[in-house]
Amino acid sequence: MSRPAVMRRMQEIAHIDVNCFYASAERIFDPSLENRPLIVLSNNDGCAVTRSDEAKKLGIVLGEPWFKLAPRAKEWGLVARSSNYELYGSISARVMELLARYSAWQEVYSIDECFLGVKGSGEDLLALGRAMKDACRTHVGVPVCVGIAPTKTLAKLSNKWAKHNPVFGGVCRWESVPAAEREALMSRLSVSEIWGVATRLTKRLAGIGIYSILDLSKANPVAIRDKFSVVMMRTVLELQGTPCIPMEEERIGRDQLIFSRSFSKPITTTVDMRQVMSVYAQQASARLAKHELQAKVLTAFAGTSYYSPGDTSYPSVCVALPMPTADPVILTKAARALMPRINDGVKYVRAGIMVTDLRPSGNQKPLELFENVHEERGIGPLLEQVAGKYGRGSIGLGHAGIKGGPDWTMKRDMLSPRYTTHWDELPLVKAA
């Protein structure tokens, strides 16, 4: 049966979201963190990007710098953790694989949320939602909330309601709530709370008398399309119960990939920057190969701190690749085109590469004269196989393969063990 046919049979959509995902992932292997204020910090232990409910009650705001919180952390009992991306990715994969068992139709929307196509009576759907919630807590160890509704927009709204209203017990089905209560909720929520409505749109909507979600749901879809866009018209129709945003089997329809990070220690030499570019180019190659994509353009860039009192430098270079490719050798050579623009002695605090003009691999085989020998021999996939078996730092091309690890890598002083991805960091269980 075709996917459109399956979609027509589905009656409702479930939106499942992990509560405070990074904090919840940290608590799986460290139960002592339960019921304690916990924050997860951004790259280089900069600022709070995730806060547990207990941390929110302390008044800690999203994005608050750690250096401001550290002096009072002991007084508050506040625990901070560095971003453990390896752990979070592994836990996310387990959650999504578990949830996929409840439907043949899943869209993984982000690292901590997905949509599922579901059908059944009202009680059946509520029972299904509770079953998914309990399974995530029991088998993975993370708490989730579930919203179920006829459309994706209403499903996300239902999930938000379930998360902030204890009466639902973490599971809310939109159609099971009396219409009067639904309208009361939408009248209390600003239109900015709805999925896909940004601050700029909020101001424009206020200009025509639309302030709440209820106001938007009662608007004329055609008039909204004429004043705004087809996308906004779809939001109105979704709020009115008409599905307009289709499910996507896999969200890889991006037109660019960016690999960029600030450094724990500034880079001041061309040699070190060459290693950075080599590492990022080979990461881009691996990501392109994973999604069966090829790139035609690579842009490399670097920059000093905006607040640096010394020399400032923001070099960049755009390289048109000889052919659409995901080959690590070609991408690495292209990234190194930035080197002549790097000034030794200048303190660069960030760098990255971006690959654009992406297209599916294998759409058109090049003439024999222009074939890329490295790609034909599968050098990129081979590097990924070795890295997957022996660790990310076990192999690399050129400067990216220097053993010992560069000192510019991300600062993570409060990193918890990567329990599920590194053999030497597996949790130990001792029986009495």
Side-chain angles (χ1 to χ4, degrees):
M1 183 179 294
S2 67
R3 182 162 297 275
V6 173
M7 291 175 65
R8 285 195 295 271
R9 288 179 54 196
M10 295 298 182
Q11 294 180 355
E12 298 192 31
I13 296 172
H15 175 252
I16 302 93
D17 178 37
V18 182
N19 302 340
C20 303
F21 176 60
Y22 289 178
S24 295
E26 293 286 350
R27 286 170 165 168
I28 294 174
F29 294 97
D30 189 354
S32 69
L33 297 175
E34 290 286 349
N35 302 317
R36 296 179 62 186
L38 170 66
I39 61 171
V40 176
L41 302 174
S42 62
N43 293 347
N44 293 316
D45 294 342
C47 57
V49 293
T50 294
R51 304 155 297 154
S52 68
D53 290 337
E54 296 82 4
K56 293 175 184 176
K57 290 177 182 177
L58 291 174
I60 297 173
V61 298
L62 197 64
E64 191 159 1
W66 170 238
F67 74 85
K68 289 185 178 181
L69 297 171
R72 301 194 64 184
K74 186 174 181 179
E75 173 191 345
W76 290 337
L78 177 65
V79 179
R81 289 284 185 266
S82 301
S83 296
N84 192 337
Y85 299 115
E86 298 90 338
L87 175 65
Y88 307 151
S90 174
I91 298 302
S92 173
R94 294 172 188 228
V95 170
M96 300 310 164
E97 190 276 332
L98 175 63
L99 292 173
R101 301 175 189 177
Y102 291 89
S103 174
W105 181 34
Q106 181 188 43
E107 176 189 335
V108 178
Y109 186 72
S110 69
I111 192 172
D112 63 345
E113 60 181 320
C114 74
F115 293 100
L116 293 178
V118 294
K119 63 178 182 177
S121 66
E123 287 303 317
D124 289 341
L125 293 176
L126 286 171
L128 177 64
R130 296 186 191 105
M132 291 189 290
K133 176 177 175 289
D134 293 342
C136 288
R137 189 60 166 170
T138 302
H139 300 299
V140 183
V142 294
V144 305
C145 283
V146 182
I148 302 173
T151 71
K152 291 171 79 171
T153 302
L154 288 176
K156 282 188 72 85
L157 185 58
S158 300
N159 190 305
K160 181 178 293 189
W161 202 359
K163 188 169 295 186
H164 297 289
N165 194 332
V167 71
F168 291 111
V171 178
C172 174
R173 177 176 176 264
W174 188 254
E175 298 290 324
S176 297
V177 179
E181 292 186 26
R182 299 200 302 260
E183 290 201 358
L185 169 72
M186 292 194 290
S187 67
R188 293 194 302 267
L189 293 177
S190 166
V191 71
S192 62
E193 296 286 334
I194 203 65
W195 182 36
V197 177
T199 303
R200 181 169 52 86
L201 278 175
T202 302
K203 294 178 179 178
R204 291 181 60 195
L205 287 166
I208 59 172
I210 295 178
Y211 301 96
S212 69
I213 295 177
L214 182 63
D215 295 335
L216 185 61
S217 71
K218 293 183 177 298
N220 185 306
V222 176
I224 291 295
R225 180 199 62 190
D226 294 340
K227 287 182 178 293
F228 295 91
S229 65
V230 172
V231 174
M232 183 56 73
M233 180 186 73
R234 289 173 183 159
T235 298
V236 174
L237 289 170
E238 288 250 326
L239 287 173
Q240 295 174 353
T242 302
C244 296
I245 305 176
M247 296 281 277
E248 300 177 23
E249 186 170 5
E250 187 175 6
R251 295 179 58 81
I252 60 171
R254 53 178 74 94
D255 56 3
Q256 65 182 24
L257 289 174
I258 300 176
F259 293 81
S260 176
R261 188 166 293 166
S262 56
F263 308 133
S264 60
K265 178 180 177 182
I267 285 181
T268 58
T269 69
T270 304
V271 172
D272 284 344
M273 187 62 76
R274 183 180 294 115
Q275 186 180 23
V276 173
M277 290 294 109
S278 299
V279 170
Y280 287 170
Q282 287 164 52
Q283 289 177 349
S285 169
R287 185 71 60 81
L288 289 169
K290 177 181 178 181
H291 293 301
E292 298 183 347
L293 294 172
Q294 294 178 321
K296 189 66 174 65
V297 178
L298 181 145
T299 301
F301 56 89
T304 54
S305 171
Y306 295 114
Y307 308 104
S308 174
D311 295 332
T312 58
S313 177
Y314 304 98
S316 66
V317 62
C318 184
V319 180
L321 303 173
M323 66 192 78
T325 183
D327 175 46
V329 177
I330 292 179
L331 295 180
T332 300
K333 289 181 178 178
R336 290 181 181 175
L338 182 69
M339 293 308 103
R341 307 188 184 196
I342 296 298
N343 300 318
D344 282 331
V346 173
K347 295 182 177 179
Y348 294 98
V349 298
R350 64 179 62 84
I353 68 167
M354 175 172 65
V355 288
T356 54
D357 193 2
L358 306 186
R359 56 196 71 185
S361 302
N363 274 7
Q364 183 175 355
K365 185 176 176 62
L367 297 174
E368 185 175 349
L369 179 64
F370 299 101
E371 284 183 350
N372 176 10
V373 63
H374 306 111
E375 211 152 23
E376 289 296 315
R377 293 177 180 175
I379 299 298
L382 176 61
L383 291 175
E384 270 303 285
Q385 290 175 17
V386 174
K389 185 173 182 178
Y390 297 104
R392 184 56 59 186
S394 60
I395 192 171
L397 295 174
H399 285 73
I402 293 178
K403 200 65 179 169
D407 60 6
W408 49 263
T409 51
M410 185 171 56
K411 175 183 177 183
R412 294 195 285 183
D413 291 341
M414 293 167 282
L415 181 68
S416 57
R418 293 160 292 187
Y419 299 101
T420 60
T421 58
H422 287 62
W423 284 107
D424 55 348
E425 297 179 28
L426 287 175
L428 299 177
V429 178
K430 297 181 180 180

